[in-house]
Amino acid sequence: MTDFLQYGAVVLWAVLAVLTFIIGRKQGAVGYMLSVFFVFMAVWYGLRAFGKLPVFDGTVGFIFRAVLTVILFSTIGVWYRIKKKQAEQNKDESDKEEENTEN
């Protein structure tokens, strides 16, 4: 990858981090988790582009994959808890509506 494309990738990840942080206000915790992911990617690609470090080789590459896996499962867990909580709230609201229509 040329230097220009490496720098462009860093900028892309950073812009996505800012955008998902802004959107995270509406989406809640999942939006913030995605923002953390994009910040991580911006820093990682920045180390590659500006520091000329081999961040995808050897042990460091395994660390990269491990961090991505942790972020992925954390985001899925947060999303699942939010959806489960919303489903319970919707069920409670529908139960209350049924009680009010019966009376």
Side-chain angles (χ1 to χ4, degrees):
M1 191 186 295
T2 65
D3 286 343
F4 177 75
L5 290 177
Q6 287 183 10
Y7 301 145
V10 173
V11 170
L12 174 70
W13 290 121
V15 167
L16 287 172
V18 171
L19 288 175
T20 55
F21 183 78
I22 293 168
I23 294 170
R25 293 179 184 171
K26 294 179 185 175
Q27 298 298 322
V30 174
Y32 293 126
M33 292 292 294
L34 289 174
S35 183
V36 167
F37 165 72
F38 290 132
V39 167
F40 171 74
M41 293 298 285
V43 169
W44 203 263
Y45 275 80
L47 290 172
R48 178 180 172 195
F50 300 114
K52 306 293 185 214
L53 298 174
V55 294
F56 297 112
D57 299 333
T59 305
V60 181
F62 288 119
I63 292 170
F64 173 74
R65 291 180 193 102
V67 170
L68 286 184
T69 304
V70 168
I71 291 173
L72 172 69
F73 287 117
S74 299
T75 303
I76 290 171
V78 168
W79 177 80
Y80 179 74
R81 274 190 265 138
I82 289 171
K83 290 298 178 183
K84 187 176 177 182
K85 185 177 178 181
Q86 286 176 350
E88 289 175 1
Q89 288 176 350
N90 290 340
K91 182 181 177 191
D92 292 341
E93 289 175 5
S94 65
D95 289 344
K96 287 180 183 178
E97 288 177 6
E98 287 178 12
E99 288 177 6
N100 289 337
T101 57
E102 291 174 359
N103 294 330

